[in-house]
């Protein structure tokens, strides 16, 4: 029987090609994901370990704590005194004191180099030989004075800087000019992530990021023969409880573990889409084996007649699936390795520098790829094999066309109806539950999708019957025949349409949710922001220096300025006190900059030291105008704040409590200015923006965003996320296309005699082609309609769980995109039908009529 299975595989190579391709694509996605994440993770771990070469012990400062009165307690870092004590230990060879912080570099046009969040600054620490072991200089040398810096090679290249040039560098305050003394290469992860690294001399770095004489970190190397553990035991008492001391090996292992955890999230996301592709592939494989065994019904019946039992027949079909699965998985694994190499190259092309390292193809990856491919193929082929084995030899030899019995269809529809109903109830229940209902919606969506797939044969007849008159009117006989052919075998039509339905369900749900959220954010910006500019630290998300406020107020054309200072307060007494976020604003100007919808009270009360409370928060805490809010600030100072105004919630724009920023400044040693709102005389303009840029010393780290810029940025982020999702789902849609091609090719093969008869009675080649094309388009659009409807329903349900946390949330159905999805489904059908339609039209009518 196994030899028979092998012969059948070789005899039906062309018909199994689409199945092989489907499994290859799915397995390639899985293996490519695993190889890529393993390779990148290993390279990053090796890179991290390199930075600890020669480091026996690493000491990291915890920074100052908080005393009972709320003030900082303890030293800001590791002192020079502690460094000297460590250096004096007998087993220590050398000690490097390190300082880190944010540093932005501007190019020749003053624009920021790098992505903002990974732009860093550090100190250059020359050892006995005058070199810093962390950096290899390609040109020049390290900085030695306060007005000198060194840049990483990539940043110098992007900024078109060479040694001796003046470079503008800034933290969160005004930019300063430094002389470039050297260009170095580094394995620093921030640089590889597309950021920049600036090296200062140690006193300058300490002044910028800590205090003179203090360090963030100590890197200690040991003398020959001295163990790291021994050195660690001696260092711990010196640095005390304000710093964490561990061996370099332990720190490298810790960072490797963090890198692995970070890669796992990417791994899980990519594998989810890979498994979706394989799930879609199951339908194609199922259809292929169903059609293959149907064509060989008489052959299999003859095997039964000469002595093969049901188990042998079933195993014969499964053996074919096993051979297909093994071959497909092996090819998919090789393709996956190529895909991983391509993904790595693509990351580098987008300026995300991945450290150099070998390609990692782990044994677990090989086992997973081969195992998944075989299991998916065998699983999809099991039902056709089982159904074939149950047919009696006499019945099978009597007819090659054995339709499903009424009993089996009733049972199928009953099961499908029950599963669909259960799924819909789960989705509705999750939507009504609110924030906690997402898991219930997910389970309900899965059950609904499975139920609808089971019901698709029953649904196909009425849906396609509804469009049949349109097809007849538009395309005549070809349209009528196409509609009849599409429902001739409803199971096959359903399985083919199911793969498209799954893909479009996910695509539609993501599109509706993404565009709805984008519109909500857009409305939030339009409805709440009156300011012409939002000034911030951009992607670094850092605090701006307080000096930016007077500088902006003095800028030409500025009519109103207010910070949005972020802080925390505790409301209530004792154990019942709750931490709450608070925004500090300028009471005199905030009304000109934001659209406050005051429900009760007066916004001008902020100038009297009173607090404005968001309406939702006021209701939850039973506050009203005139109420007293018992407050404890960050410095542990207590105050009774009177509620002076209740305003409509502005989530995403302001905290639920708003006070005068000067009050917040009094209780904060380092006020956190998240953004500054600016109103200009005459509105936003190129001239006005230049005035603001000049006022802040052309700081490359600070961004000046108009209302339209904010909308574009938010919309761009959502569109980018959607495009990534579309790209990942494209694999499932490609497999769906293969399914349509496969179904039509098999259909043409089965109807060879019928097509010959149609040609003989006058149906010309053009109308034969139209018939096959229209059949494909009808099946594709049938799947698309189901997918779009279900995807929209799921998006609505998910939206119900998140609308409470997104201001101005209102479901938006993107009819333009849905129209594009439907059009693409039709195009997919037409393209998938090209080869089968051409084959059908080229059939010799006499030969076709004689075909059994």
């Amino acid at each position: 029987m196994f030899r028979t299975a092998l012969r059948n595989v070789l005899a039906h190579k062309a018909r199994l090609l689409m199945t092989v391709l489907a499994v290859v694509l799915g397995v390639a996605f899985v293996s490519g994901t695993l190889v890529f994440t393993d390779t990148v993770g290993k390279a990053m771990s090796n890179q991290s370990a390199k930075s600890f070469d020669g480091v026996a012990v690493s000491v990291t400062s915890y920074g100052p704590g908080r005393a009972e009165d709320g003030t900082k307690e303890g030293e800001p870092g590791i002192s020079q005194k502690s460094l000297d004590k460590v250096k004096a230990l007998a087993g220590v060879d050398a000690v490097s004191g390190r300082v880190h912080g944010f540093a932005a570099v501007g190019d020749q046009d003053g624009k920021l180099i790098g992505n903002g969040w990974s732009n860093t600054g550090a100190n250059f620490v020359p050892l006995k030989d005058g070199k810093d072991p962390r950096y290899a200089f390609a040109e020049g040398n390290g900085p030695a004075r306060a007005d000198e810096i060194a840049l990483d090679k990539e940043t110098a290249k992007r900024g078109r800087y060479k040694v001796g040039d003046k470079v503008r560098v800034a933290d969160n305050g005004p930019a300063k000019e430094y002389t470039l003394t050297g260009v170095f290469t580094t394995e620093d992860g921030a640089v590889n992530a597309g950021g920049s690294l600036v090296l200062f001399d140690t006193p300058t770095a300490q002044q910028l990021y800590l205090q003179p004489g203090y360090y963030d970190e100590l890197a200690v190397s040991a003398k020959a023969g001295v163990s790291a553990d021994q050195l660690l035991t001696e260092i711990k008492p010196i640095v005390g409880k304000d710093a964490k001391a561990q061996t370099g090996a332990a720190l490298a292992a810790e960072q490797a573990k963090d890198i692995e955890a970070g890669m796992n999230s990417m791994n899980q996301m990519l594998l989810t889409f890979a498994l979706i592709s394989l799930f879609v592939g199951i339908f194609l494989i199922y259809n292929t084996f169903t059609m293959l065994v149907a064509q060989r019904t008489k052959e299999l019946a003859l095997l039964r007649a000469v002595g093969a039992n049901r188990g042998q027949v079933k195993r014969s079909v499964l053996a074919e699936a096993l051979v297909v699965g093994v071959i497909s998985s092996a090819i998919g694994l090789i393709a996956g390795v190529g895909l991983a190499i391509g993904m790595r190259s693509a990351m580098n092309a987008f300026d995300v520098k991945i450290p150099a390292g070998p390609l990692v193809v782990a044994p677990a990856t090989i086992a997973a790829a081969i195992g998944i491919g075989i299991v998916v193929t065998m699983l999809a082929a099991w039902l056709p094999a089982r159904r074939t084995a149950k047919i009696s030899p006499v019945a099978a030899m009597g007819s090659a066309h054995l339709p499903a019995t009424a009993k089996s269809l009733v049972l199928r529809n009953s099961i499908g109806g029950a599963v669909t109903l259960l799924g819909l109830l789960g989705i509705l229940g999750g939507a009504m539950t609110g924030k906690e209902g997402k898991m219930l919606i997910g389970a309900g969506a899965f059950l609904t999708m499975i139920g609808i797939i089971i019901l698709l044969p029953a649904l196909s007849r009425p849906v396609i019957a509804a469009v049949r008159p349109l097809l007849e009117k538009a395309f005549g006989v070809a349209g009528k025949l196409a509609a009849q052919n599409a429902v001739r075998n409803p199971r096959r039509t359903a399985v083919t349409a199911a793969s498209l339905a799954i893909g479009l369900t996910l695509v539609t749900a993501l599109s509706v949710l993404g565009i709805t959220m984008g519109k909500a954010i857009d409305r939030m910006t339009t409805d709440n922001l009156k300011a012409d500019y939002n000034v911030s630290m951009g992607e670094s998300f850092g605090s701006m220096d307080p000096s930016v406020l007077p500088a902006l107020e003095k800028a030409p054309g500025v009519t109103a300025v207010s910070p949005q200072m972020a802080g925390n307060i505790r409301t209530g007494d004792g154990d019942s006190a709750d931490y709450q976020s608070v925004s500090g604003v300028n009471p005199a100007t905030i009304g000109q900059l934001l659209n406050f919808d005051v429900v009760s009270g007066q916004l001008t009360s902020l100038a009297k030291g009173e607090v404005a409370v968001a309406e939702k928060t006021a209701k939850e805490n039973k506050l009203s105008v005139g109420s007293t809010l018992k407050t404890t600030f960050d410095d542990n100072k207590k105050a009774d704040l009177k509620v002076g105004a209740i305003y409509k919630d502005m989530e995403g724009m302001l905290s639920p409590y708003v006070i005068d920023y000067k009050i917040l400044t009094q209780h904060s040693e380092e006020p956190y200015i998240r953004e500054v709102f600016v109103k200009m005389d005459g509105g936003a303009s190129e001239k006005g923006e230049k005035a603001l840029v000049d006022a802040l010393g052309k700081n490359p780290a600070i961004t000046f965003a108009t209302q339209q810029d904010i909308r574009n940025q938010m919309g761009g982020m959502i569109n980018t996320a959607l495009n990534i999702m579309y790209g990942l789902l494209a694999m499932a849609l490609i497999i769906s296309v293969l399914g349509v091609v496969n179904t039509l090719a098999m259909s043409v093969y089965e109807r060879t005699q019928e097509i010959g008869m149609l040609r003989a009675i006058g149906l010309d080649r053009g109308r034969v082609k139209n018939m096959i094309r229209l059949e494909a388009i009808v099946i594709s659009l049938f799947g698309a309609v189901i997918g779009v409807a279900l995807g929209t329903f799921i998006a609505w349900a998910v939206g119900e769980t998140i609308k409470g946390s997104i201001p101005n949330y209102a479901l938006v159905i993107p009819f333009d995109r849905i129209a594009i999805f439907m059009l693409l489904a039709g195009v997919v059908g037409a393209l998938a039908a090209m080869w089968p339609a051409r084959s059908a039209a080229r059939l010799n009518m006499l030969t076709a009529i004689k075909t059994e």
Side-chain angles (χ1 to χ4, degrees):
M1 294 303 291
F2 185 71
R3 286 198 300 271
T4 301
L6 286 177
R7 282 197 297 270
N8 282 324
V9 169
L10 294 173
H12 302 112
K13 295 189 292 291
R15 295 179 217 169
L16 288 169
L17 178 61
M18 298 301 174
T19 294
V20 171
L21 281 174
V23 180
V24 165
L25 288 172
V27 171
F29 206 159
V30 171
S31 57
T33 295
L34 294 173
V35 171
F36 175 72
T37 51
D38 286 348
T39 298
V40 173
K42 184 67 175 176
M44 292 177 72
S45 294
N46 290 341
Q47 178 197 59
S48 177
K50 276 185 186 178
S51 61
F52 299 110
D53 283 349
V55 177
V57 176
S58 173
V59 183
T60 308
S61 169
Y62 288 126
R66 288 281 180 183
E68 288 186 7
D69 62 357
T71 58
K72 287 185 179 179
E73 181 181 49
E75 296 184 300
I78 303 167
S79 67
Q80 183 66 44
K81 183 179 178 182
S82 296
L83 184 149
D84 292 337
K85 286 182 179 179
V86 171
K87 193 174 183 180
L89 292 173
V92 172
D93 182 50
V95 181
S96 300
R98 303 287 175 177
V99 185
H100 306 88
F102 172 76
V105 184
D107 61 17
Q108 302 282 6
D109 301 319
K111 301 295 183 182
L112 178 68
I113 298 175
N115 50 31
W117 55 269
S118 58
N119 292 331
T120 56
N123 61 323
F124 174 70
V125 187
L127 299 180
K128 298 171 186 177
D129 58 358
K131 297 179 180 179
D132 188 329
R134 290 196 178 184
Y135 312 106
F137 277 81
E139 299 175 44
N141 46 54
R145 301 187 314 182
D147 62 346
E148 296 178 344
I149 59 162
L151 290 177
D152 69 272
K153 189 174 182 180
E154 190 62 29
T155 301
K157 179 182 176 182
R158 284 186 285 178
R160 305 189 302 278
Y161 289 121
K162 59 183 184 295
V163 173
D165 286 349
K166 295 292 184 181
V167 182
R168 293 185 69 79
V169 180
D171 49 6
N172 63 345
K176 297 179 183 177
E177 278 197 346
Y178 297 86
T179 300
L180 183 63
T181 63
V183 175
F184 58 89
T185 57
T186 177
E187 294 295 328
D188 188 278
V191 174
N192 285 323
S196 61
L197 178 59
V198 183
L199 294 184
F200 303 93
D201 70 309
T202 296
T204 302
Q206 289 174 329
Q207 185 68 45
L208 284 170
Y209 303 128
L210 283 174
Q211 288 182 20
Y214 286 92
Y215 304 90
D216 291 321
E217 172 197 343
L218 300 181
V220 184
S221 58
K223 290 181 179 177
V226 178
S227 73
D229 290 331
Q230 176 187 340
L231 209 54
L232 179 64
T233 304
E234 296 176 3
I235 290 173
K236 277 186 175 180
I238 295 174
V239 298
K241 63 180 181 179
D242 295 331
K244 180 182 180 180
Q246 56 189 325
T247 63
L251 183 57
E254 185 180 288
Q255 291 202 0
K257 189 175 179 181
D258 291 340
I259 290 167
E260 183 181 352
M263 295 303 297
N264 278 342
S265 56
M266 180 193 293
N267 206 11
Q268 289 168 8
M269 182 186 75
L270 292 174
L271 283 177
T272 298
F273 287 95
L275 293 175
I276 289 170
S277 298
L278 284 167
F279 183 62
V280 171
I282 286 176
F283 296 97
L284 191 157
I285 300 164
Y286 168 83
N287 235 3
T288 301
F289 277 93
T290 297
M291 289 183 280
L292 283 176
V293 296
Q295 291 166 11
R296 289 163 42 211
T297 301
K298 289 186 178 180
E299 173 192 328
L300 294 171
L302 184 60
L303 288 173
R304 290 287 310 280
V306 297
N309 59 36
R310 288 184 177 183
Q312 287 176 309
V313 171
K314 183 166 72 173
R315 287 194 294 273
S316 172
V317 177
L318 290 177
E320 293 179 44
L322 176 63
V323 172
V324 171
V326 170
I327 294 171
S328 305
S329 299
I331 297 171
L333 176 61
I334 296 168
V337 173
L339 179 64
I341 295 170
M343 290 169 69
R344 185 170 176 172
S345 300
M347 296 286 280
N348 288 327
F350 284 102
D351 280 338
V352 179
K353 304 299 179 185
I354 295 175
L359 198 68
V360 179
V361 184
T365 298
I366 298 172
I370 300 294
I372 288 172
I374 292 173
V375 167
V376 165
T377 309
M378 296 283 284
L379 184 65
W382 179 81
L383 193 59
R386 180 176 175 272
R387 189 183 298 131
T388 302
K390 291 175 70 175
I391 301 172
S392 67
V394 174
M397 284 190 283
S399 175
H401 303 285
L402 297 166
T405 63
K407 180 181 177 182
S408 70
L409 288 175
V410 169
L411 179 63
R412 175 181 180 134
N413 293 339
S414 300
I415 294 172
V419 173
T420 303
L421 180 61
L422 186 62
L424 291 174
L425 289 174
I427 295 173
L428 289 170
M432 290 186 290
T433 302
K435 291 182 180 179
E436 308 302 321
K438 294 186 183 69
M439 293 296 291
L440 188 56
I441 290 173
F446 179 75
L447 287 174
T448 303
M449 198 174 293
I450 296 298
I452 287 178
I453 288 169
I454 296 172
L455 283 175
L456 279 177
L459 293 173
S460 63
R461 290 187 181 277
V463 172
I464 295 176
V467 300
R468 179 175 168 178
L470 294 175
L471 291 174
E472 286 188 42
K473 187 174 181 180
F475 301 98
V477 174
K480 180 179 180 179
L481 290 171
Q484 289 175 340
N485 290 332
V487 293
R488 176 183 293 184
N489 190 330
R491 286 179 185 247
R492 183 185 302 170
T493 298
V495 173
T496 305
S499 55
L500 273 171
I502 292 167
L504 281 172
T505 295
L506 296 170
V507 167
T508 303
L510 290 170
S511 297
V512 172
L513 281 172
I515 291 170
T516 297
M517 292 175 67
K519 293 291 184 183
I521 293 169
D522 186 51
R523 282 193 294 270
M524 180 183 73
T525 303
T526 305
D527 294 347
N528 295 333
L529 190 63
K530 290 163 66 176
D532 296 314
Y533 288 98
N534 179 293
V535 184
S536 69
M537 292 295 292
E539 292 182 7
S540 70
F541 304 109
S543 170
M544 286 184 286
D545 190 86
S547 63
V548 302
L549 294 175
L552 289 171
E553 287 171 348
K554 294 174 184 175
V558 171
T559 59
V561 172
S562 174
Q564 212 265 86
M565 189 177 288
N568 292 295
I569 57 174
R570 279 172 288 163
T571 59
D573 289 317
D575 295 336
S576 63
D578 293 322
Y579 275 95
Q580 304 283 352
S581 62
V582 60
S583 291
V585 300
N586 185 343
T589 58
I590 193 64
Q592 303 172 52
L593 300 163
L594 295 180
N595 271 322
F596 267 93
D597 187 354
V598 178
V599 177
S600 58
Q602 298 290 328
L603 196 59
T604 53
S605 63
L606 293 175
K608 303 173 187 176
E610 297 178 2
V611 60
V613 185
E615 186 179 28
K616 182 179 175 182
T617 303
K619 286 180 180 177
E620 289 173 353
N621 294 278
K622 298 179 180 178
L623 297 172
S624 59
V625 173
S627 297
T628 300
L629 186 69
K630 293 186 176 298
T631 306
T632 304
F633 290 95
D634 273 349
D635 59 0
N636 273 350
K637 298 287 177 62
K638 298 181 184 297
D640 290 340
L641 298 179
K642 182 181 177 182
V643 177
I646 306 292
Y647 65 93
K648 288 281 188 184
D649 293 64
M650 298 171 69
E651 290 182 58
M653 186 69 71
L654 284 178
S655 299
Y657 295 93
V658 179
I659 60 175
D660 188 335
Y661 81 97
K662 292 177 182 176
I663 297 175
L664 207 53
T665 302
Q666 292 169 6
H667 297 283
S668 304
E669 292 183 27
E670 297 177 358
Y672 186 89
I673 303 176
R674 192 172 77 179
E675 58 196 340
V676 178
F677 304 117
V678 180
K679 188 80 171 173
M680 304 290 292
D681 184 14
S685 66
E686 189 175 334
K687 180 181 177 183
E689 183 172 339
K690 185 178 184 303
L692 299 180
V693 171
D694 291 342
L696 297 185
K698 297 180 180 178
N699 188 326
I702 295 178
T703 61
F704 303 85
T706 63
Q707 290 186 26
Q708 189 59 48
D709 290 335
I710 296 171
R711 284 195 289 265
N712 291 344
Q713 182 184 13
M714 295 300 181
M717 288 168 60
I718 289 170
N719 282 331
T720 299
L722 284 176
N723 288 336
I724 291 171
M725 297 301 177
Y726 292 160
L728 293 172
L729 286 169
M731 192 73 74
L733 294 175
I734 290 171
I735 294 173
S736 300
V737 174
L738 295 177
V740 178
V741 174
N742 199 38
T743 296
L744 292 173
M746 292 294 184
S747 181
V748 168
Y749 175 82
E750 289 177 355
R751 287 154 41 201
T752 299
Q753 188 180 60
E754 177 187 317
I755 292 169
M757 291 294 293
L758 290 171
R759 289 290 315 283
I761 61 175
L763 196 70
D764 59 30
R765 288 184 174 182
R767 282 187 286 183
V768 168
K769 285 183 179 179
N770 280 344
M771 177 182 70
I772 303 298
R773 288 194 198 103
L774 289 171
E775 182 181 346
I777 291 170
V778 166
I779 293 173
S780 298
L781 289 177
F782 171 54
V785 167
I786 298 294
V788 166
L790 182 56
T792 304
F793 179 58
I794 292 171
W796 166 81
V798 174
E800 290 297 298
T801 68
I802 62 175
K803 68 179 184 181
S805 57
I806 299 177
N808 303 308
Y809 184 93
L811 186 70
V812 177
I813 299 178
F815 290 105
D816 54 343
R817 293 207 184 192
I818 288 175
I820 291 172
F821 297 157
M822 299 298 290
L823 178 63
L824 287 175
V827 171
V828 161
L831 292 176
M834 287 179 65
W835 172 55
R838 184 169 177 270
S839 299
R842 287 165 63 95
L843 287 173
N844 182 290
M845 68 179 75
L846 295 177
T847 304
I849 291 170
K850 292 187 291 183
T851 302
E852 292 188 8

